[in-house]
Amino acid sequence: MRRGPSRRCAILPVVRDSASIGTARRALFGRRLSGEGRAHAASDGGESKGLRFLGHAARLATACADRRLVGSAIGDYRLARLLGQGRYGSCFEAERIAFQGDSFAVPTPCRVAMKLIKPRKGRIDRQAVWAECAALSLLDHAGVPRWLGIEHAVVRGEEPRYFIVETLCGGDCLSRLLKSGCVFSDGDIARIGSGLIDLVLHAASRGVVHGDIRPANVLVDAGGSVSLVDFGLARFYDRTRDGRECLAASSPDIEGVAETILFMLYSDACRLRDDTRRHGTWRDELHLDEEREAFLADAFFAPEAFGTMEGFRGRFEDAFGFARPIRQA
């Protein structure tokens, strides 16, 4: 993984089809729209631009409000810094400021991650909170945070704030690496993709679907280890089903892996076709051999073609090669 020129780009969107991949790439890398894209953007009118501006302003206001919480004491912890924002909550790094009793069975590390649970429609969605906690409890993988509990406190006389406490995973999120201009080689993509698929298969073996795999929720540390965070949209299914039924249940995570791979492919301009402005989908814009294109197409549009989750892993290894260590810049 090497550092490329700095690029100014928007927050990574979620992409699920071949046409929107091109749109997402243009948002990420700030590339100019093709003639067709400009016509489409113009047809949106000022209303959609206004909505996008309002959405950005709302996220900025939320981030500023959440940063005010840094330094606050929440139960046995003090919020040290804001790590990032998810769809339904902000995540902080926190340090432990008090020892808990001997009756507490799980040893708590000195530094943890604390996810602020934001109300939906004015109230805490308890079912969603417990779904996330249940998912973390079911999984037992070094690349998944471990649930430690829930803390709450009244900060500055405001409404009570509730936090999910988790072990702290190391590394930086892929979205931040992409925004900073990191270029991912084929070896990098093989290593990160293999680690991510290993996490997806572990979750599937426990009947868990992450449901929101994207660069912002994938962490990579200096040694190339991959972690998956933010299980706020996790779902569950009966893991005793046969392989094809498990594959169908895990299709959102399969799509998420393919999406993440595409973002890494787009990080290197050498993979783009010279006439890319005439087109608008990833099939047309990227130099891909038949095996890679078929893998990505099946992941997005026909996951049943993999047969089983192990078949999904095998197809990835055939298309992108076996994992190799990431070269740290």
Side-chain angles (χ1 to χ4, degrees):
M1 179 170 56
R2 67 181 189 275
R3 297 280 177 180
S6 177
R7 297 180 175 93
R8 183 182 180 185
C9 49
I11 294 175
L12 291 174
V14 175
V15 287
R16 292 294 184 232
D17 56 70
S18 60
S20 62
I21 286 288
T23 303
R25 187 267 302 147
R26 284 187 287 270
L28 174 65
F29 295 112
R31 293 170 60 88
R32 295 181 61 187
L33 295 173
S34 63
E36 179 183 356
R38 285 195 296 271
H40 176 72
S43 67
D44 288 344
E47 183 178 358
S48 61
K49 291 182 180 179
L51 291 175
R52 287 195 296 270
F53 173 78
L54 289 175
H56 177 72
R59 288 192 297 271
L60 182 61
T62 301
C64 291
D66 289 344
R67 285 193 180 94
R68 292 174 51 239
L69 297 176
V70 172
S72 300
I74 309 294
D76 291 329
Y77 303 94
R78 178 181 290 111
L79 303 182
R81 66 186 180 105
L82 178 65
L83 294 174
Q85 289 182 288
R87 296 183 187 278
Y88 302 111
S90 297
C91 190
F92 297 82
E93 180 179 341
E95 55 189 358
R96 189 173 178 181
I97 56 176
F99 292 97
Q100 296 175 335
D102 295 336
S103 60
F104 190 66
V106 180
T108 306
C110 292
R111 286 189 173 266
V112 299
M114 297 184 68
K115 179 179 177 182
L116 173 63
I117 305 167
K118 296 187 176 178
R120 302 182 191 179
K121 298 181 179 179
R123 59 186 301 178
I124 298 293
D125 187 343
R126 297 192 178 193
Q127 184 174 358
V129 172
W130 284 112
E132 180 166 4
C133 297
L136 296 178
S137 299
L138 283 169
L139 303 181
D140 183 19
H141 193 288
V144 176
R146 190 172 74 252
W147 177 53
L148 300 175
I150 293 179
E151 292 279 4
H152 73 280
V154 176
V155 181
R156 298 187 178 91
E158 300 175 359
E159 292 293 322
R161 309 270 186 155
Y162 292 85
F163 294 79
I164 297 175
V165 186
E166 309 168 356
T167 53
L168 185 64
C169 292
D172 209 346
C173 67
L174 272 180
S175 60
R176 190 172 292 119
L177 293 173
L178 287 163
K179 291 176 184 179
S180 69
C182 283
V183 177
F184 293 86
S185 68
D186 286 355
D188 299 335
I189 295 173
R191 177 67 184 88
I192 295 172
S194 179
L196 188 54
I197 289 174
D198 184 60
L199 286 162
V200 169
L201 264 64
H202 173 73
S205 72
R206 304 295 176 93
V208 177
V209 180
H210 182 279
D212 194 23
I213 295 178
R214 54 195 175 100
N217 292 333
V218 178
L219 306 182
V220 183
D221 68 14
S225 297
V226 180
S227 299
L228 185 59
V229 298
D230 196 352
F231 282 75
L233 295 180
R235 300 195 298 275
F236 309 92
Y237 63 90
D238 183 2
R239 60 181 178 177
T240 63
R241 296 177 180 177
D242 64 34
R244 289 190 175 276
E245 288 181 321
C246 291
L247 186 74
S250 297
S251 60
D253 286 355
I254 291 174
E255 293 177 10
V257 170
E259 173 189 320
T260 303
I261 290 170
L262 270 182
F263 275 116
M264 290 189 287
L265 287 170
Y266 271 113
S267 71
D268 191 346
C270 294
R271 297 193 184 99
L272 296 177
R273 297 181 184 276
D274 294 336
D275 59 347
T276 185
R277 291 193 179 190
R278 301 178 186 176
H279 308 288
T281 71
W282 58 270
R283 293 175 189 265
D284 300 317
E285 293 181 340
L286 288 169
H287 284 291
L288 296 173
D289 60 34
E290 291 183 4
E291 203 163 25
R292 291 187 174 187
E293 181 176 329
F295 170 82
L296 292 169
D298 286 345
F300 279 118
F301 311 118
E304 66 277 4
F306 297 119
T308 63
M309 293 300 290
E310 284 295 339
F312 172 55
R313 189 212 299 267
R315 285 277 303 278
F316 172 81
E317 292 176 348
D318 291 341
F320 290 90
F322 292 94
R324 287 175 281 177
I326 289 182
R327 297 189 305 278
Q328 185 68 16

